[in-house]
Every structure is written in structure tokens, then in C-alpha cells.
Amino acid sequence: MNKCWLRCTRCSRKTDFRLIGKCPECRGTLLVEYDMDQARPTFTKKNLSRRSEASLWRYHELLPIHSPKSAVSLGEGWTPLVRLPSLEARLGLKRALVKREEQNPTGSFKARGFAVAVSLLSERGIAKAAVPSNGNAASAFAAYAARAGIEAHVFLPRDCPPLIVEECRLYGAHTTLVDGMIHDAGQRIDALQAEQGWFNAGTLREPGRVEGKKTMGFEIAEQFGWKLPDVIVYPTGGGSGIIGLWKAFNELQALGLVDGCLPRLISVQEEGCRPIVDAMASAPSPADSGAERTASPTGMRVPLPPDLDLLVSILGKTGGTAVAVGQDEIRSAQRTWGTCGISASPEGAATLAGLLKLREAQGIDPDETVVLFNTSHALKYLTPLSTGTHE
Ligand SMILES: *Cc1c(COP(=O)(O)O)cnc(C)c1O
Ligand SMILES: [Zn+2]
């Protein structure tokens, strides 16, 4: 590991590396910074191309773990980036590709964040930790905690996909269903953590998850031969995926490994729970209007993202935007993914629905390269009773 520290995204103050997520001065989000001069000699295109680790640990210089040997790993990352000829034809796009994040351990990109976060907990001997989640964060955390021998406590809204709840239990996590939304699950942890001695590994509460998710950006750059795509479409909830991608591209730029414009980052949310879309349009957030109860229980359903200002600023800086899509559009996009041979979760389908919307609105030029993120697998969202009876 290279020398690293934390920097506040709001007041720019630097603090020592610790497992905290908020600036002690201003409560802004803290992100990890590395000594780039130390990373530069070994983090090179040539060295990376010779590395055999088919996992995110191939980028160990820019991860905050003391030694790759202490990594808690289940084989996360280095997922395929696959061209989509039939979609290109249908959309009139020169190049469209899918980053197949559903192929991660536990079937979602959340594995990346928890591989790094749980490694940090493990290096520090933390014995018990808790996470609020809409599903995939809980099951990813549960798997890595099991691997590390850490006691896992997960809290999920009661309407979350039952197979994912079952998956958490399978990894041995103490699993609690909560009435309400993910922030209600978070409040349960806040109320219990001191008394129970839990570390709270919720979104932006510690620096590891963003660092793990950032490797998606490194992989895209490396898999594209160090030329970044024009547009990236990402299903967004708490936002650490977007923060991670943006951070990755900035670090690669600082190392001189990529140049030119950064990809336009486009967040997709579902109608009914669209705080990022509203914030981008400077519309008042309907977070407490109850509208979110109409949104389906997916990773995008986060009525109160922990740092909305940071997300708005990142999307704006990249020239990107945020779009909302309806449940019917998501279902139809899921079938379109199926015709491409891809099993897409509702979130992964939302990215395609979002792209269709933007293409119609002329938001994307035909000669641009677009990467869609399929963040999870369709199968995790089936309800057990529906499996035998579906048309
Ligand atoms: C958590 C999740 C998201 C949202 O990601 P954030 O980084 O929290 O914005 C998208 N898709 C899936 C499948 C998820 O589990
Ligand atoms: Zn600050």
C-alpha cells in the first residue's frame, strides 16, 4: 500500500487515515487520497498488463489495505466488458458495451466495496459490524464478514427481495427486517451500535467501500486500452458507485494514464424515488412526500442519499445528468437485455431504459461509446412463489 490519508470533499481539510466517513470539522464526505508520486513508478500500463490477478487487487497500490496478503477476497472484480451489437443496431450507436457486474461474488458490484471495507475491518481486528441495505449490500457484507470471521448484522426493509434476504441468512448474518426504507434500517443501527459494539459500515460511513467500487473505473480504462468511453450509465441509489467511478478517473488522470475529457456520468433512478434527478433539476426533493413507497425495492430506492451535494457536483463536473425511468420501462428493458443473453437486475435494466430515453431525447450522439452497468443478476429478484408460475 502507498501512503494515504483522508481529504474532505467539502472543506478540503486533510486528516489521517481512519475508518471514518465524515469530516470532523464540517461533516463533509471524506475520501482517500494517495501519494501519487509513490504509486507512479509501479502503477503503469505495462506493469498492469503483466499482472495475473483477475480481481480488483491488481490495483493494490491505490487501495488502502496494508498488504494484499491481508485482503479478504472471494474473487471480486475484473468482470467482463462485453460489446452489444444488437443494441448498437437498435439504438443507432457506434459502440455500446455492458460491464457485467452481476458476475461478482454474491451476484452484484457491492462485492467490490465490501471486499475492501471488510479487509480494513479485519486488519484492525474489528469483531462485529452492521450494515443497512436494500439487499445486495447486506448479502455482500454478510459473505465477506463470514470469510473474515466478523459477526455481521444486517437490517433491510421488509419488502426487499426475499432471495437476497435468504442469502444473508445463508452467510450466517444476523438478519433483521424493518418496516420502512433503508434510512429507517439505518436508524435502527444508529440506535443499537454503541450498546452492541458494532462498527457501522453503511454508505459513506467508512472509506473502504468507495475505494472498492472505484476499481470499476480502473477496469474500464484498462479494458478499453486506456481510452475512456464517452458516456457511462449507472443505476444510482446511495451514490458510492458514481463517486467511485469519478474518483478512479481522476486518479488515472493524475497519474497521466488517461487524458481528454472524463466520461459523462449518467445516473438512472426509478420514478417515485428520484432524489438525484430532482436535485439535478434543482427541484424540491419529495423525500418525505411518501412517493418513494411507490418505487420498487431495489438498490436505487434511497430517498435520502448521504451526500446529495457531492453527487450533483460530480454529475455536473462530468457534463452528465440524471434520468428517471418507470417500472414498465424497466421491465421492458429487462426483456431487451434477455434478447442480448444478459440476465439483468431491475437496476441493470434501468440503465438500458435510461439510455433509450436519452437517445430519444438526443442526449447521446450516434458516434459515441456508451458503457451500461449491469450491477446485479435478474435471478436475485425473483420471488420464490413466482418461479414455477411465470408465463
Ligand atoms: C446498491 C445498488 C445500486 C446503487 O448503487 P449505489 O452505489 O448505492 O448508488 C445499483 N444496483 C444494484 C444492483 C445495487 O445493489
Ligand atoms: Zn470538511
mmCIF file of all heavy atoms in Angstrom, residues 7-13 22-30, ligand 2:
data_model
loop_
_atom_site.group_PDB
_atom_site.id
_atom_site.type_symbol
_atom_site.label_atom_id
_atom_site.label_comp_id
_atom_site.label_asym_id
_atom_site.label_seq_id
_atom_site.Cartn_x
_atom_site.Cartn_y
_atom_site.Cartn_z
ATOM 1 N N ARG A 7 -9.275 13.182 2.716
ATOM 2 C CA ARG A 7 -9.484 14.603 2.419
ATOM 3 C C ARG A 7 -10.979 14.863 2.350
ATOM 4 O O ARG A 7 -11.745 14.075 1.793
ATOM 5 C CB ARG A 7 -8.812 14.973 1.101
ATOM 6 C CG ARG A 7 -9.172 16.364 0.647
ATOM 7 C CD ARG A 7 -8.088 17.383 0.447
ATOM 8 N NE ARG A 7 -6.752 16.982 0.166
ATOM 9 C CZ ARG A 7 -5.686 17.598 0.706
ATOM 10 N NH1 ARG A 7 -5.856 18.567 1.587
ATOM 11 N NH2 ARG A 7 -4.477 17.214 0.359
ATOM 12 N N CYS A 8 -11.403 15.983 2.935
ATOM 13 C CA CYS A 8 -12.818 16.344 2.943
ATOM 14 C C CYS A 8 -13.216 16.904 1.581
ATOM 15 O O CYS A 8 -12.544 17.786 1.046
ATOM 16 C CB CYS A 8 -13.089 17.372 4.039
ATOM 17 S SG CYS A 8 -14.810 17.929 4.035
ATOM 18 N N THR A 9 -14.316 16.385 1.017
ATOM 19 C CA THR A 9 -14.776 16.866 -0.292
ATOM 20 C C THR A 9 -15.469 18.224 -0.166
ATOM 21 O O THR A 9 -15.746 18.864 -1.166
ATOM 22 C CB THR A 9 -15.780 15.873 -0.905
ATOM 23 O OG1 THR A 9 -16.807 15.628 0.057
ATOM 24 C CG2 THR A 9 -15.107 14.559 -1.261
ATOM 25 N N ARG A 10 -15.741 18.659 1.074
ATOM 26 C CA ARG A 10 -16.422 19.944 1.241
ATOM 27 C C ARG A 10 -15.450 21.061 1.624
ATOM 28 O O ARG A 10 -15.392 22.075 0.955
ATOM 29 C CB ARG A 10 -17.545 19.804 2.276
ATOM 30 C CG ARG A 10 -18.491 20.996 2.276
ATOM 31 C CD ARG A 10 -19.622 20.807 3.280
ATOM 32 N NE ARG A 10 -20.514 19.719 2.930
ATOM 33 C CZ ARG A 10 -21.346 19.141 3.800
ATOM 34 N NH1 ARG A 10 -21.385 19.540 5.051
ATOM 35 N NH2 ARG A 10 -22.131 18.165 3.406
ATOM 36 N N CYS A 11 -14.660 20.851 2.702
ATOM 37 C CA CYS A 11 -13.778 21.947 3.160
ATOM 38 C C CYS A 11 -12.319 21.706 2.799
ATOM 39 O O CYS A 11 -11.463 22.525 3.116
ATOM 40 C CB CYS A 11 -13.929 22.156 4.665
ATOM 41 S SG CYS A 11 -13.107 20.884 5.656
ATOM 42 N N SER A 12 -12.016 20.580 2.140
ATOM 43 C CA SER A 12 -10.669 20.249 1.657
ATOM 44 C C SER A 12 -9.650 19.965 2.752
ATOM 45 O O SER A 12 -8.476 19.771 2.462
ATOM 46 C CB SER A 12 -10.103 21.362 0.749
ATOM 47 O OG SER A 12 -10.933 21.531 -0.352
ATOM 48 N N ARG A 13 -10.072 19.953 4.024
ATOM 49 C CA ARG A 13 -9.102 19.644 5.079
ATOM 50 C C ARG A 13 -8.661 18.198 5.003
ATOM 51 O O ARG A 13 -9.436 17.306 4.672
ATOM 52 C CB ARG A 13 -9.710 19.903 6.461
ATOM 53 C CG ARG A 13 -9.455 21.302 6.954
ATOM 54 C CD ARG A 13 -9.633 21.367 8.481
ATOM 55 N NE ARG A 13 -9.903 22.745 8.853
ATOM 56 C CZ ARG A 13 -11.105 23.293 8.836
ATOM 57 N NH1 ARG A 13 -12.158 22.574 8.485
ATOM 58 N NH2 ARG A 13 -11.268 24.554 9.158
ATOM 59 N N LYS A 22 -16.974 10.923 7.736
ATOM 60 C CA LYS A 22 -17.358 12.334 7.710
ATOM 61 C C LYS A 22 -16.275 13.200 8.319
ATOM 62 O O LYS A 22 -15.645 12.818 9.308
ATOM 63 C CB LYS A 22 -18.660 12.533 8.493
ATOM 64 C CG LYS A 22 -19.873 12.135 7.714
ATOM 65 C CD LYS A 22 -21.120 12.783 8.317
ATOM 66 C CE LYS A 22 -22.366 12.416 7.531
ATOM 67 N NZ LYS A 22 -23.267 11.580 8.320
ATOM 68 N N CYS A 23 -16.091 14.378 7.759
ATOM 69 C CA CYS A 23 -15.086 15.330 8.217
ATOM 70 C C CYS A 23 -15.393 15.765 9.651
ATOM 71 O O CYS A 23 -16.513 16.178 9.948
ATOM 72 C CB CYS A 23 -15.103 16.535 7.285
ATOM 73 S SG CYS A 23 -14.046 17.879 7.795
ATOM 74 N N PRO A 24 -14.406 15.666 10.547
ATOM 75 C CA PRO A 24 -14.639 16.083 11.932
ATOM 76 C C PRO A 24 -14.954 17.580 12.034
ATOM 77 O O PRO A 24 -15.597 18.014 12.987
ATOM 78 C CB PRO A 24 -13.312 15.771 12.647
ATOM 79 C CG PRO A 24 -12.511 14.938 11.709
ATOM 80 C CD PRO A 24 -13.052 15.141 10.330
ATOM 81 N N GLU A 25 -14.525 18.365 11.034
ATOM 82 C CA GLU A 25 -14.745 19.817 11.070
ATOM 83 C C GLU A 25 -16.121 20.211 10.536
ATOM 84 O O GLU A 25 -16.827 21.003 11.139
ATOM 85 C CB GLU A 25 -13.686 20.541 10.219
ATOM 86 C CG GLU A 25 -12.260 20.277 10.639
ATOM 87 C CD GLU A 25 -11.923 20.956 11.963
ATOM 88 O OE1 GLU A 25 -12.571 21.975 12.284
ATOM 89 O OE2 GLU A 25 -11.028 20.453 12.667
ATOM 90 N N CYS A 26 -16.466 19.686 9.331
ATOM 91 C CA CYS A 26 -17.664 20.228 8.661
ATOM 92 C C CYS A 26 -18.689 19.167 8.287
ATOM 93 O O CYS A 26 -19.687 19.484 7.653
ATOM 94 C CB CYS A 26 -17.231 21.000 7.405
ATOM 95 S SG CYS A 26 -16.849 19.938 6.002
ATOM 96 N N ARG A 27 -18.446 17.911 8.631
ATOM 97 C CA ARG A 27 -19.354 16.790 8.316
ATOM 98 C C ARG A 27 -19.427 16.461 6.819
ATOM 99 O O ARG A 27 -20.316 15.722 6.377
ATOM 100 C CB ARG A 27 -20.790 17.027 8.843
ATOM 101 C CG ARG A 27 -20.893 17.484 10.294
ATOM 102 C CD ARG A 27 -20.292 16.545 11.285
ATOM 103 N NE ARG A 27 -21.009 15.291 11.442
ATOM 104 C CZ ARG A 27 -20.451 14.167 11.910
ATOM 105 N NH1 ARG A 27 -19.187 14.141 12.239
ATOM 106 N NH2 ARG A 27 -21.171 13.060 12.031
ATOM 107 N N GLY A 28 -18.531 17.037 6.019
ATOM 108 C CA GLY A 28 -18.464 16.676 4.605
ATOM 109 C C GLY A 28 -17.955 15.248 4.442
ATOM 110 O O GLY A 28 -17.397 14.663 5.378
ATOM 111 N N THR A 29 -18.145 14.677 3.250
ATOM 112 C CA THR A 29 -17.683 13.310 2.988
ATOM 113 C C THR A 29 -16.167 13.271 2.837
ATOM 114 O O THR A 29 -15.579 14.105 2.147
ATOM 115 C CB THR A 29 -18.329 12.785 1.690
ATOM 116 O OG1 THR A 29 -19.739 12.767 1.879
ATOM 117 C CG2 THR A 29 -17.845 11.392 1.341
ATOM 118 N N LEU A 30 -15.557 12.303 3.500
ATOM 119 C CA LEU A 30 -14.108 12.117 3.397
ATOM 120 C C LEU A 30 -13.798 11.051 2.353
ATOM 121 O O LEU A 30 -14.435 9.994 2.342
ATOM 122 C CB LEU A 30 -13.543 11.661 4.745
ATOM 123 C CG LEU A 30 -13.651 12.648 5.904
ATOM 124 C CD1 LEU A 30 -13.268 11.956 7.209
ATOM 125 C CD2 LEU A 30 -12.761 13.865 5.647
HETATM 126 ZN ZN ZN B 2 -14.647 19.260 5.962
#
